[in-house]
Amino acid sequence: MRVLARLRERAGAATMQDRAVWQAASLLLAYPDDALARRLDTVDELLGHIDGGAAALLARTAAALRRREAMGAAMDYVATFDMRRRATMYLTYWTAGDTRNRGREMLEFATAYRHAGVQPPRAEAPDHLPVVLEFAATVDPEAGRRLLTEHRVPIDVLRAALDDAESPYAHTIAAVCTTLPVTTDQDVRRAERLARAGPPAESVGLQPFNLTVPPRRRKGAPNG
């Protein structure tokens, strides 16, 4: 299998298990376009190399997506991730909000990609969770794990939002969390505060930064 071959080529600090989880999660969290069926077939192959609870969690999302027809899956995706502020997959939105700091934080993601020898994707923002997961799985597992761990609180906010919405994508985020350090009490409290108060805000002197995002999603931060 081509995906597993790529994962094996770069054995490092992260285990193959974690990298397989990250790759499967990236595929499941992608917009359900015409390639969804092929991605789900790849996920099924990856599940054969994942043990324990993570495999069961990923399989639940995959099964839910297989049961939906294409248009319904796409509409659910937009309603879940684009229409709910708490369910954004743009990780810096929760740490920097609509402030000038967000540009700097997104630059940190882009810089990590370049240091690993790849260019940031042009079709999506560098802090978009599926992008970070694929980078961690297939390019640089150590740098990818660091980015995910540093943004564990936004990931926890996302997981809670998806749980509240009873979304099948919640299982995939839960699987990703099994690959990260256990959350501290401080992390839990911070996630709860962010969920209640929202991200930082700044309206004066905000300098725009250029993003290239797919036309199926609106530009900028998600609406509430």
Side-chain angles (χ1 to χ4, degrees):
M1 177 184 170
R2 194 174 303 172
V3 173
L4 285 173
R6 286 207 310 270
L7 299 187
R8 291 193 184 99
E9 284 174 2
R10 295 190 176 217
T15 65
M16 279 292 299
Q17 161 102 357
D18 288 349
R19 298 177 74 177
V21 169
W22 294 334
Q23 181 66 85
S26 177
L27 295 170
L28 290 170
L29 294 172
Y31 179 80
D33 57 15
D34 293 340
L36 175 61
R38 291 196 299 274
R39 288 198 297 269
L40 291 176
D41 288 342
T42 301
V43 169
D44 286 345
E45 293 186 55
L46 287 165
L47 290 178
H49 301 267
I50 300 172
D51 300 322
L57 289 164
L58 294 165
R60 291 181 69 178
T61 303
L65 290 174
R66 283 198 185 277
R67 288 193 296 266
R68 296 303 310 271
E69 51 87 19
M71 183 173 295
M75 291 176 64
D76 283 350
Y77 187 95
V78 171
T80 298
F81 295 113
D82 294 353
M83 302 302 178
R84 291 185 176 97
R85 184 184 65 174
R86 284 180 60 204
T88 180
M89 288 196 285
Y90 294 98
L91 298 178
T92 64
Y93 177 69
W94 283 107
T95 55
D98 290 322
T99 73
R100 69 192 74 194
N101 291 332
R102 190 174 177 209
R104 184 185 67 242
E105 291 193 14
M106 288 215 295
L107 180 60
E108 292 176 3
F109 283 84
T111 299
Y113 299 159
R114 292 190 178 99
H115 282 174
V118 297
Q119 289 298 313
R122 297 190 179 191
E124 187 54 273
D127 66 329
H128 196 235
L129 182 56
V131 173
V132 184
L133 288 167
E134 180 148 1
F135 169 76
T138 64
V139 179
D140 190 331
E142 293 184 19
R145 187 188 295 277
R146 175 180 55 79
L147 291 171
L148 291 168
T149 301
E150 288 175 353
H151 293 81
R152 176 61 189 267
V153 171
I155 292 172
D156 283 338
V157 174
L158 171 60
R159 178 182 177 181
L162 295 175
D163 278 335
D164 290 346
E166 298 182 349
S167 168
Y169 291 107
H171 308 307
T172 291
I173 302 302
V176 171
C177 289
T178 68
T179 70
L180 304 178
V182 176
T183 52
T184 64
D185 290 341
Q186 182 179 5
D187 288 336
V188 172
R189 289 192 296 271
R190 185 180 170 207
E192 290 173 346
R193 286 196 301 270
L194 274 177
R196 288 194 304 267
E202 175 181 79
S203 58
V204 179
L206 178 62
Q207 296 299 315
F209 49 89
N210 294 324
L211 294 180
T212 303
V213 298
R216 54 181 166 74
R217 287 196 287 271
R218 76 277 175 270
K219 296 180 180 179
N223 295 324

